Amino acid sequence: MLRRTFAAVLTGAALSISVLSAPSAGAAEIMATTLTYDDSQAAEFKEAVAAGVNVWNTNVTNVRIVKATPGQRVNIRVIADNGWPRATLGPVRPGGTVTVWMGRQAVQQGYHTPRIASHELGHSLGLPDVKPGPCSSLMSGSTGGVSCTSVNPNAQEKARVQQLYAGTAVQSADAGKVLAEIG
């Protein structure tokens, strides 16, 4: 009898310990890295850039992109120009700065402006081009074709950004290079 009582107490204690150490459903959320962007030089691309920011904010949780307020440090600077779209390869970190050039040349050739913005922001978050690639790959860029209007990253692209901003990522040796789309 004493052995059964002692065994029951030990079993109950073990269950209590496992319940106490298990994460609860209401456990604190993982803090996302917050990056700021400035579209004051984005000209006619401001709406497309906002759409691209929304794409990333709704598809990943480890990083948030927010519009910079006056006087706030900017991590992603967006500039409209007459060339081909391009961006500095990240992953950009708080305290760092990258540039996205929203080139009018691709728009004049018929490429989807929100896709361009999402793609170039993907570079800022650390994703290289995937060429050639299908329309279902955001980072396929121009090889997705002029008719491609898909703005969302695929599962692999989302997972890579999640990994890069998980807090333990090592910065890529290629970070800081400018990646240019060639039509």
Side-chain angles (χ1 to χ4, degrees):
M1 176 75 174
L2 185 57
R3 281 187 203 160
R4 273 190 269 166
T5 304
F6 186 66
V9 169
L10 286 178
T11 303
L15 287 173
S16 295
I17 291 171
S18 66
V19 168
L20 289 174
S21 62
S24 67
E29 292 182 22
I30 296 173
M31 295 295 293
T33 298
T34 300
L35 302 174
T36 58
Y37 76 97
D38 173 21
D39 66 355
S40 63
Q41 297 177 47
E44 71 271 24
F45 299 113
K46 286 183 181 188
E47 285 183 31
V49 170
V53 165
N54 186 56
V55 163
W56 284 106
N57 285 342
T58 58
N59 279 282
V60 296
T61 58
N62 284 350
V63 64
R64 289 276 144 252
I65 306 170
V66 298
K67 193 167 187 173
T69 57
Q72 187 177 20
R73 181 175 176 78
V74 173
N75 302 115
I76 304 170
R77 183 178 318 112
V78 184
I79 301 170
D81 76 359
N82 292 325
W84 198 261
R86 58 206 181 278
T88 311
L89 180 61
V92 65
R93 302 284 185 217
T97 303
V98 295
T99 304
V100 168
W101 290 271
M102 291 293 295
R104 293 179 180 100
Q105 186 176 355
V107 176
Q108 290 166 353
Q109 291 181 20
Y111 288 94
H112 187 59
T113 310
R115 179 175 168 84
I116 294 168
S118 294
H119 173 89
E120 298 306 333
L121 287 166
H123 286 316
S124 296
L125 297 175
L127 298 177
D129 285 315
V130 177
K131 292 186 178 193
C135 178
S136 60
S137 168
L138 176 61
M139 299 315 293
S140 69
S142 63
T143 63
V146 174
S147 63
C148 180
T149 60
S150 174
V151 297
N152 291 306
N154 64 28
Q156 293 82 18
E157 293 161 341
K158 289 185 233 182
R160 181 63 180 144
V161 171
Q162 288 289 96
Q163 178 187 28
L164 288 169
Y165 287 93
T168 58
V170 176
Q171 192 162 347
S172 165
D174 289 335
K177 291 184 179 179
V178 174
L179 301 180
E181 289 288 324
I182 303 194

